[in-house]
Amino acid sequence: MTDLRCNSQRLWNAHTAMAVFGATPSGGVGRLALTDEDRQARDLFVTWAREAGCEIRIDGVGNIFARRAGTNPAAAPVMTGSHLDTQPLGGRFDGIFGVLAGLEAVRALNDADVHHEKPIDIVCWTDEEGSRFGDGCLGSSAFTGGRTLAETLAMTDADGLSVGSELQRIGYAGPEPVGGYAVDSFFEVHIEQGPILENAGLQIGAVEGAQAATVYEITITGEEGHAGTLPMTLRKDAMRGAAEMIHRVDDVAFEFEPYPVITVGHVRVRPNSRNTIPGQVVFTIDSRHPDTETLAAAGARMVAICEEVSNTQGLGLSINVKGHRDSVAFDTQCIQAVRDAANALGIPHMDIYSGAGHDAIYLARTCPAGMIFVPCEDGISHNEAENARPEDLAAGTDVLMHALLARAGRV
Ligand code: GLV
Ligand code: MN
Ligand code: MN
């Protein structure tokens, strides 16, 4: 057993202070990427990290790196972190916990005057949630070469505002190049966002891997017309097409065993007026499965259904793949480092699989990566009611700190 532990109260207070930025009336957080609320959270993180002695660097896609120096400045950094943005009606822990745990680990190492050979970087990855610009993990994807910087900066939100212009506006279009250097390893701690740990009565999950995901954007084009005058038989109603597609796409899940998860969570209607027949509907399909090939088969079925409906109803159709990632297995040494840290701390743990997407999945493409899960109340997440216990957050932070130290080489 080791007595090097984080300060649980300080960790909790940091969450409370951050939850102010984008606080919703029902106790959650709505802090979309690159908004003023995101800027406020970034500013406070940078202030705190500087106070903890970290050197700050910001890259061209707005990723923030706060470095606790190691005794060997030339060594590749051990990284930890997550994201500051949330869903439109999100909670107080998804993402921010992984950032604040990294910060608390650094603060606790400072308090205990503990040092390491390799630098430790706490990272805030830009726009993990993907609620605003059409796809998620923008910062970690650009950092690992999944999407170029130019492509990322050109992505736009529903109002036509681009990632690049919004980064400039909030002052986080940094001067540093995006990625392109060696990273020793990446560890991300996160609430589980599901019920498995809570039901098992365990505080720690050593995450083995994460499922594949594909996001589609479907655009259906019909013809606007007067809701009171145009006979039903003469209409080209984009909403009618969307309704049939959405219903049937959802059913595709049950054609596979085990079934994928399929979600239509975003719809835009033009002109979105009570008494005009919709001329255009755009909706997204978020589809996920542990097996990349099964997911592709489900995708092919969904595309065929959309084509069939648009043909039958005489509607225009365009299908755009907004994002895709294969399933990933995390690095066996990183997984073992998490188990070893939990064992050293005397915290019972289990291996677990991630249903959600995370920045660590992208980091795993270019460096050894691993994740630590802690339970959240009733497994609820992407919901204002999302909640976690201070002692579980502290346990996850302690495991993170010891995994980081092991990897960074305590001196
Ligand atoms: C992010 O939270 C995701 O899993 O999409
Ligand atoms: Mn998250
Ligand atoms: Mn999320």
Side-chain angles (χ1 to χ4, degrees), residues 318-348:
S318 112
I319 300 180
N320 186 5
V321 176
K322 296 291 277 186
H324 170 78
R325 57 173 181 263
D326 288 349
S327 60
V328 68
F330 285 129
D331 178 76
T332 50
Q333 288 183 8
C334 289
I335 301 168
Q336 194 53 43
V338 172
R339 296 186 194 117
D340 290 346
N343 287 337
L345 289 159
I347 305 174

PDB file of all heavy atoms in Angstrom, residues 318-348:
ATOM      1  N   SER A 318     -28.935  12.848 -49.873  1.00  0.00           N
ATOM      2  CA  SER A 318     -27.479  12.782 -49.866  1.00  0.00           C
ATOM      3  C   SER A 318     -27.021  12.261 -48.510  1.00  0.00           C
ATOM      4  O   SER A 318     -27.582  12.620 -47.466  1.00  0.00           O
ATOM      5  CB  SER A 318     -26.888  14.143 -50.237  1.00  0.00           C
ATOM      6  OG  SER A 318     -26.238  14.722 -49.170  1.00  0.00           O
ATOM      7  N   ILE A 319     -26.046  11.348 -48.544  1.00  0.00           N
ATOM      8  CA  ILE A 319     -25.557  10.700 -47.322  1.00  0.00           C
ATOM      9  C   ILE A 319     -24.074  11.018 -47.178  1.00  0.00           C
ATOM     10  O   ILE A 319     -23.283  10.758 -48.090  1.00  0.00           O
ATOM     11  CB  ILE A 319     -25.773   9.177 -47.365  1.00  0.00           C
ATOM     12  CG1 ILE A 319     -27.271   8.882 -47.500  1.00  0.00           C
ATOM     13  CG2 ILE A 319     -25.186   8.506 -46.114  1.00  0.00           C
ATOM     14  CD1 ILE A 319     -27.614   7.414 -47.564  1.00  0.00           C
ATOM     15  N   ASN A 320     -23.745  11.593 -46.026  1.00  0.00           N
ATOM     16  CA  ASN A 320     -22.385  12.056 -45.787  1.00  0.00           C
ATOM     17  C   ASN A 320     -21.867  11.364 -44.524  1.00  0.00           C
ATOM     18  O   ASN A 320     -22.517  11.444 -43.485  1.00  0.00           O
ATOM     19  CB  ASN A 320     -22.501  13.584 -45.587  1.00  0.00           C
ATOM     20  CG  ASN A 320     -21.177  14.252 -45.472  1.00  0.00           C
ATOM     21  OD1 ASN A 320     -20.144  13.623 -45.622  1.00  0.00           O
ATOM     22  ND2 ASN A 320     -21.214  15.543 -45.192  1.00  0.00           N
ATOM     23  N   VAL A 321     -20.741  10.654 -44.628  1.00  0.00           N
ATOM     24  CA  VAL A 321     -20.149  10.059 -43.411  1.00  0.00           C
ATOM     25  C   VAL A 321     -19.357  11.163 -42.706  1.00  0.00           C
ATOM     26  O   VAL A 321     -18.338  11.628 -43.205  1.00  0.00           O
ATOM     27  CB  VAL A 321     -19.232   8.863 -43.762  1.00  0.00           C
ATOM     28  CG1 VAL A 321     -18.556   8.326 -42.498  1.00  0.00           C
ATOM     29  CG2 VAL A 321     -20.043   7.757 -44.437  1.00  0.00           C
ATOM     30  N   LYS A 322     -19.855  11.585 -41.550  1.00  0.00           N
ATOM     31  CA  LYS A 322     -19.224  12.712 -40.841  1.00  0.00           C
ATOM     32  C   LYS A 322     -18.041  12.257 -39.996  1.00  0.00           C
ATOM     33  O   LYS A 322     -17.189  13.074 -39.637  1.00  0.00           O
ATOM     34  CB  LYS A 322     -20.248  13.400 -39.917  1.00  0.00           C
ATOM     35  CG  LYS A 322     -21.386  14.046 -40.631  1.00  0.00           C
ATOM     36  CD  LYS A 322     -20.948  15.262 -41.422  1.00  0.00           C
ATOM     37  CE  LYS A 322     -20.851  16.510 -40.567  1.00  0.00           C
ATOM     38  NZ  LYS A 322     -20.561  17.699 -41.384  1.00  0.00           N
ATOM     39  N   GLY A 323     -18.016  11.003 -39.643  1.00  0.00           N
ATOM     40  CA  GLY A 323     -16.897  10.526 -38.834  1.00  0.00           C
ATOM     41  C   GLY A 323     -16.957   9.025 -38.671  1.00  0.00           C
ATOM     42  O   GLY A 323     -18.043   8.426 -38.724  1.00  0.00           O
ATOM     43  N   HIS A 324     -15.786   8.413 -38.533  1.00  0.00           N
ATOM     44  CA  HIS A 324     -15.728   6.965 -38.292  1.00  0.00           C
ATOM     45  C   HIS A 324     -14.478   6.637 -37.492  1.00  0.00           C
ATOM     46  O   HIS A 324     -13.424   7.236 -37.704  1.00  0.00           O
ATOM     47  CB  HIS A 324     -15.681   6.174 -39.604  1.00  0.00           C
ATOM     48  CG  HIS A 324     -15.386   4.722 -39.370  1.00  0.00           C
ATOM     49  ND1 HIS A 324     -16.351   3.840 -38.927  1.00  0.00           N
ATOM     50  CD2 HIS A 324     -14.218   4.023 -39.411  1.00  0.00           C
ATOM     51  CE1 HIS A 324     -15.783   2.651 -38.745  1.00  0.00           C
ATOM     52  NE2 HIS A 324     -14.498   2.744 -39.025  1.00  0.00           N
ATOM     53  N   ARG A 325     -14.624   5.701 -36.573  1.00  0.00           N
ATOM     54  CA  ARG A 325     -13.425   5.136 -35.945  1.00  0.00           C
ATOM     55  C   ARG A 325     -13.649   3.643 -35.763  1.00  0.00           C
ATOM     56  O   ARG A 325     -14.751   3.189 -35.451  1.00  0.00           O
ATOM     57  CB  ARG A 325     -13.106   5.812 -34.611  1.00  0.00           C
ATOM     58  CG  ARG A 325     -14.216   5.768 -33.611  1.00  0.00           C
ATOM     59  CD  ARG A 325     -13.837   6.293 -32.238  1.00  0.00           C
ATOM     60  NE  ARG A 325     -14.994   6.171 -31.363  1.00  0.00           N
ATOM     61  CZ  ARG A 325     -15.840   7.152 -31.097  1.00  0.00           C
ATOM     62  NH1 ARG A 325     -15.657   8.343 -31.590  1.00  0.00           N
ATOM     63  NH2 ARG A 325     -16.891   6.930 -30.311  1.00  0.00           N
ATOM     64  N   ASP A 326     -12.570   2.883 -35.987  1.00  0.00           N
ATOM     65  CA  ASP A 326     -12.626   1.439 -35.760  1.00  0.00           C
ATOM     66  C   ASP A 326     -12.630   1.170 -34.252  1.00  0.00           C
ATOM     67  O   ASP A 326     -12.267   2.037 -33.463  1.00  0.00           O
ATOM     68  CB  ASP A 326     -11.391   0.773 -36.372  1.00  0.00           C
ATOM     69  CG  ASP A 326     -11.436   0.761 -37.899  1.00  0.00           C
ATOM     70  OD1 ASP A 326     -12.501   1.079 -38.466  1.00  0.00           O
ATOM     71  OD2 ASP A 326     -10.403   0.434 -38.511  1.00  0.00           O
ATOM     72  N   SER A 327     -13.015  -0.047 -33.890  1.00  0.00           N
ATOM     73  CA  SER A 327     -12.895  -0.433 -32.479  1.00  0.00           C
ATOM     74  C   SER A 327     -11.409  -0.446 -32.122  1.00  0.00           C
ATOM     75  O   SER A 327     -10.540  -0.570 -32.994  1.00  0.00           O
ATOM     76  CB  SER A 327     -13.517  -1.808 -32.239  1.00  0.00           C
ATOM     77  OG  SER A 327     -12.855  -2.758 -33.032  1.00  0.00           O
ATOM     78  N   VAL A 328     -11.121  -0.260 -30.847  1.00  0.00           N
ATOM     79  CA  VAL A 328      -9.725  -0.171 -30.442  1.00  0.00           C
ATOM     80  C   VAL A 328      -9.487  -1.050 -29.218  1.00  0.00           C
ATOM     81  O   VAL A 328     -10.363  -1.199 -28.371  1.00  0.00           O
ATOM     82  CB  VAL A 328      -9.337   1.301 -30.145  1.00  0.00           C
ATOM     83  CG1 VAL A 328     -10.033   1.840 -28.912  1.00  0.00           C
ATOM     84  CG2 VAL A 328      -7.836   1.460 -29.979  1.00  0.00           C
ATOM     85  N   ALA A 329      -8.304  -1.651 -29.177  1.00  0.00           N
ATOM     86  CA  ALA A 329      -7.848  -2.349 -27.971  1.00  0.00           C
ATOM     87  C   ALA A 329      -6.762  -1.482 -27.362  1.00  0.00           C
ATOM     88  O   ALA A 329      -5.818  -1.097 -28.061  1.00  0.00           O
ATOM     89  CB  ALA A 329      -7.300  -3.721 -28.332  1.00  0.00           C
ATOM     90  N   PHE A 330      -6.910  -1.135 -26.110  1.00  0.00           N
ATOM     91  CA  PHE A 330      -5.872  -0.306 -25.478  1.00  0.00           C
ATOM     92  C   PHE A 330      -4.610  -1.117 -25.252  1.00  0.00           C
ATOM     93  O   PHE A 330      -4.613  -2.358 -25.291  1.00  0.00           O
ATOM     94  CB  PHE A 330      -6.401   0.312 -24.179  1.00  0.00           C
ATOM     95  CG  PHE A 330      -7.356   1.456 -24.406  1.00  0.00           C
ATOM     96  CD1 PHE A 330      -8.603   1.490 -23.786  1.00  0.00           C
ATOM     97  CD2 PHE A 330      -7.024   2.496 -25.260  1.00  0.00           C
ATOM     98  CE1 PHE A 330      -9.485   2.526 -24.010  1.00  0.00           C
ATOM     99  CE2 PHE A 330      -7.908   3.559 -25.502  1.00  0.00           C
ATOM    100  CZ  PHE A 330      -9.135   3.566 -24.872  1.00  0.00           C
ATOM    101  N   ASP A 331      -3.521  -0.404 -25.014  1.00  0.00           N
ATOM    102  CA  ASP A 331      -2.194  -0.998 -24.868  1.00  0.00           C
ATOM    103  C   ASP A 331      -2.123  -1.891 -23.614  1.00  0.00           C
ATOM    104  O   ASP A 331      -2.519  -1.460 -22.519  1.00  0.00           O
ATOM    105  CB  ASP A 331      -1.182   0.154 -24.753  1.00  0.00           C
ATOM    106  CG  ASP A 331       0.213  -0.341 -24.541  1.00  0.00           C
ATOM    107  OD1 ASP A 331       0.831  -0.808 -25.506  1.00  0.00           O
ATOM    108  OD2 ASP A 331       0.686  -0.282 -23.385  1.00  0.00           O
ATOM    109  N   THR A 332      -1.626  -3.103 -23.782  1.00  0.00           N
ATOM    110  CA  THR A 332      -1.660  -4.049 -22.649  1.00  0.00           C
ATOM    111  C   THR A 332      -0.830  -3.540 -21.462  1.00  0.00           C
ATOM    112  O   THR A 332      -1.213  -3.748 -20.313  1.00  0.00           O
ATOM    113  CB  THR A 332      -1.144  -5.443 -23.069  1.00  0.00           C
ATOM    114  OG1 THR A 332       0.107  -5.270 -23.733  1.00  0.00           O
ATOM    115  CG2 THR A 332      -2.113  -6.140 -23.999  1.00  0.00           C
ATOM    116  N   GLN A 333       0.284  -2.850 -21.744  1.00  0.00           N
ATOM    117  CA  GLN A 333       1.095  -2.331 -20.622  1.00  0.00           C
ATOM    118  C   GLN A 333       0.371  -1.205 -19.889  1.00  0.00           C
ATOM    119  O   GLN A 333       0.477  -1.080 -18.669  1.00  0.00           O
ATOM    120  CB  GLN A 333       2.444  -1.835 -21.130  1.00  0.00           C
ATOM    121  CG  GLN A 333       3.362  -2.979 -21.529  1.00  0.00           C
ATOM    122  CD  GLN A 333       4.730  -2.469 -21.956  1.00  0.00           C
ATOM    123  OE1 GLN A 333       5.045  -1.300 -21.820  1.00  0.00           O
ATOM    124  NE2 GLN A 333       5.532  -3.360 -22.487  1.00  0.00           N
ATOM    125  N   CYS A 334      -0.343  -0.372 -20.640  1.00  0.00           N
ATOM    126  CA  CYS A 334      -1.103   0.703 -19.983  1.00  0.00           C
ATOM    127  C   CYS A 334      -2.241   0.120 -19.143  1.00  0.00           C
ATOM    128  O   CYS A 334      -2.506   0.591 -18.030  1.00  0.00           O
ATOM    129  CB  CYS A 334      -1.654   1.686 -21.010  1.00  0.00           C
ATOM    130  SG  CYS A 334      -0.380   2.709 -21.776  1.00  0.00           S
ATOM    131  N   ILE A 335      -2.926  -0.896 -19.695  1.00  0.00           N
ATOM    132  CA  ILE A 335      -4.005  -1.532 -18.928  1.00  0.00           C
ATOM    133  C   ILE A 335      -3.422  -2.120 -17.637  1.00  0.00           C
ATOM    134  O   ILE A 335      -3.979  -1.964 -16.550  1.00  0.00           O
ATOM    135  CB  ILE A 335      -4.698  -2.644 -19.755  1.00  0.00           C
ATOM    136  CG1 ILE A 335      -5.282  -2.073 -21.047  1.00  0.00           C
ATOM    137  CG2 ILE A 335      -5.793  -3.321 -18.933  1.00  0.00           C
ATOM    138  CD1 ILE A 335      -5.736  -3.144 -22.051  1.00  0.00           C
ATOM    139  N   GLN A 336      -2.267  -2.777 -17.777  1.00  0.00           N
ATOM    140  CA  GLN A 336      -1.639  -3.387 -16.598  1.00  0.00           C
ATOM    141  C   GLN A 336      -1.183  -2.325 -15.606  1.00  0.00           C
ATOM    142  O   GLN A 336      -1.277  -2.516 -14.393  1.00  0.00           O
ATOM    143  CB  GLN A 336      -0.466  -4.276 -17.026  1.00  0.00           C
ATOM    144  CG  GLN A 336       0.040  -5.208 -15.939  1.00  0.00           C
ATOM    145  CD  GLN A 336      -1.076  -6.076 -15.322  1.00  0.00           C
ATOM    146  OE1 GLN A 336      -1.935  -6.626 -16.025  1.00  0.00           O
ATOM    147  NE2 GLN A 336      -1.081  -6.187 -13.988  1.00  0.00           N
ATOM    148  N   ALA A 337      -0.717  -1.168 -16.109  1.00  0.00           N
ATOM    149  CA  ALA A 337      -0.291  -0.082 -15.206  1.00  0.00           C
ATOM    150  C   ALA A 337      -1.470   0.393 -14.358  1.00  0.00           C
ATOM    151  O   ALA A 337      -1.308   0.734 -13.180  1.00  0.00           O
ATOM    152  CB  ALA A 337       0.289   1.074 -16.022  1.00  0.00           C
ATOM    153  N   VAL A 338      -2.661   0.405 -14.956  1.00  0.00           N
ATOM    154  CA  VAL A 338      -3.864   0.809 -14.216  1.00  0.00           C
ATOM    155  C   VAL A 338      -4.191  -0.246 -13.151  1.00  0.00           C
ATOM    156  O   VAL A 338      -4.430   0.078 -11.978  1.00  0.00           O
ATOM    157  CB  VAL A 338      -5.054   0.999 -15.185  1.00  0.00           C
ATOM    158  CG1 VAL A 338      -6.352   1.213 -14.418  1.00  0.00           C
ATOM    159  CG2 VAL A 338      -4.782   2.165 -16.132  1.00  0.00           C
ATOM    160  N   ARG A 339      -4.166  -1.516 -13.542  1.00  0.00           N
ATOM    161  CA  ARG A 339      -4.443  -2.585 -12.568  1.00  0.00           C
ATOM    162  C   ARG A 339      -3.411  -2.548 -11.441  1.00  0.00           C
ATOM    163  O   ARG A 339      -3.755  -2.674 -10.261  1.00  0.00           O
ATOM    164  CB  ARG A 339      -4.386  -3.954 -13.249  1.00  0.00           C
ATOM    165  CG  ARG A 339      -5.441  -4.193 -14.313  1.00  0.00           C
ATOM    166  CD  ARG A 339      -5.335  -5.660 -14.772  1.00  0.00           C
ATOM    167  NE  ARG A 339      -6.051  -5.923 -15.999  1.00  0.00           N
ATOM    168  CZ  ARG A 339      -5.485  -6.323 -17.143  1.00  0.00           C
ATOM    169  NH1 ARG A 339      -4.168  -6.515 -17.223  1.00  0.00           N
ATOM    170  NH2 ARG A 339      -6.221  -6.566 -18.204  1.00  0.00           N
ATOM    171  N   ASP A 340      -2.128  -2.381 -11.806  1.00  0.00           N
ATOM    172  CA  ASP A 340      -1.055  -2.374 -10.798  1.00  0.00           C
ATOM    173  C   ASP A 340      -1.241  -1.218  -9.818  1.00  0.00           C
ATOM    174  O   ASP A 340      -1.039  -1.374  -8.609  1.00  0.00           O
ATOM    175  CB  ASP A 340       0.328  -2.243 -11.465  1.00  0.00           C
ATOM    176  CG  ASP A 340       0.722  -3.494 -12.243  1.00  0.00           C
ATOM    177  OD1 ASP A 340       0.067  -4.550 -12.056  1.00  0.00           O
ATOM    178  OD2 ASP A 340       1.684  -3.412 -13.043  1.00  0.00           O
ATOM    179  N   ALA A 341      -1.616  -0.045 -10.360  1.00  0.00           N
ATOM    180  CA  ALA A 341      -1.804   1.124  -9.482  1.00  0.00           C
ATOM    181  C   ALA A 341      -2.955   0.860  -8.518  1.00  0.00           C
ATOM    182  O   ALA A 341      -2.852   1.150  -7.320  1.00  0.00           O
ATOM    183  CB  ALA A 341      -2.074   2.367 -10.326  1.00  0.00           C
ATOM    184  N   ALA A 342      -4.046   0.294  -9.032  1.00  0.00           N
ATOM    185  CA  ALA A 342      -5.190  -0.004  -8.157  1.00  0.00           C
ATOM    186  C   ALA A 342      -4.784  -1.024  -7.101  1.00  0.00           C
ATOM    187  O   ALA A 342      -5.122  -0.877  -5.913  1.00  0.00           O
ATOM    188  CB  ALA A 342      -6.369  -0.504  -8.993  1.00  0.00           C
ATOM    189  N   ASN A 343      -4.040  -2.040  -7.490  1.00  0.00           N
ATOM    190  CA  ASN A 343      -3.591  -3.052  -6.517  1.00  0.00           C
ATOM    191  C   ASN A 343      -2.701  -2.415  -5.454  1.00  0.00           C
ATOM    192  O   ASN A 343      -2.858  -2.683  -4.260  1.00  0.00           O
ATOM    193  CB  ASN A 343      -2.816  -4.169  -7.234  1.00  0.00           C
ATOM    194  CG  ASN A 343      -3.741  -5.068  -8.046  1.00  0.00           C
ATOM    195  OD1 ASN A 343      -4.938  -5.148  -7.757  1.00  0.00           O
ATOM    196  ND2 ASN A 343      -3.205  -5.713  -9.071  1.00  0.00           N
ATOM    197  N   ALA A 344      -1.774  -1.556  -5.875  1.00  0.00           N
ATOM    198  CA  ALA A 344      -0.850  -0.922  -4.919  1.00  0.00           C
ATOM    199  C   ALA A 344      -1.610  -0.067  -3.909  1.00  0.00           C
ATOM    200  O   ALA A 344      -1.197   0.083  -2.769  1.00  0.00           O
ATOM    201  CB  ALA A 344       0.168  -0.076  -5.672  1.00  0.00           C
ATOM    202  N   LEU A 345      -2.736   0.496  -4.372  1.00  0.00           N
ATOM    203  CA  LEU A 345      -3.533   1.363  -3.494  1.00  0.00           C
ATOM    204  C   LEU A 345      -4.572   0.572  -2.700  1.00  0.00           C
ATOM    205  O   LEU A 345      -5.308   1.143  -1.899  1.00  0.00           O
ATOM    206  CB  LEU A 345      -4.239   2.432  -4.346  1.00  0.00           C
ATOM    207  CG  LEU A 345      -3.310   3.501  -4.937  1.00  0.00           C
ATOM    208  CD1 LEU A 345      -3.953   4.183  -6.143  1.00  0.00           C
ATOM    209  CD2 LEU A 345      -2.946   4.539  -3.882  1.00  0.00           C
ATOM    210  N   GLY A 346      -4.673  -0.723  -2.984  1.00  0.00           N
ATOM    211  CA  GLY A 346      -5.651  -1.556  -2.282  1.00  0.00           C
ATOM    212  C   GLY A 346      -7.077  -1.276  -2.723  1.00  0.00           C
ATOM    213  O   GLY A 346      -8.013  -1.419  -1.928  1.00  0.00           O
ATOM    214  N   ILE A 347      -7.256  -0.864  -3.981  1.00  0.00           N
ATOM    215  CA  ILE A 347      -8.606  -0.555  -4.493  1.00  0.00           C
ATOM    216  C   ILE A 347      -9.057  -1.697  -5.414  1.00  0.00           C
ATOM    217  O   ILE A 347      -8.444  -1.925  -6.462  1.00  0.00           O
ATOM    218  CB  ILE A 347      -8.618   0.778  -5.275  1.00  0.00           C
ATOM    219  CG1 ILE A 347      -8.058   1.914  -4.413  1.00  0.00           C
ATOM    220  CG2 ILE A 347     -10.028   1.097  -5.752  1.00  0.00           C
ATOM    221  CD1 ILE A 347      -7.901   3.237  -5.167  1.00  0.00           C
ATOM    222  N   PRO A 348     -10.132  -2.408  -5.058  1.00  0.00           N
ATOM    223  CA  PRO A 348     -10.615  -3.492  -5.926  1.00  0.00           C
ATOM    224  C   PRO A 348     -11.054  -2.938  -7.288  1.00  0.00           C
ATOM    225  O   PRO A 348     -11.590  -1.836  -7.367  1.00  0.00           O
ATOM    226  CB  PRO A 348     -11.818  -4.061  -5.167  1.00  0.00           C
ATOM    227  CG  PRO A 348     -11.673  -3.556  -3.767  1.00  0.00           C
ATOM    228  CD  PRO A 348     -10.941  -2.247  -3.854  1.00  0.00           C
TER     229      PRO A 348
END
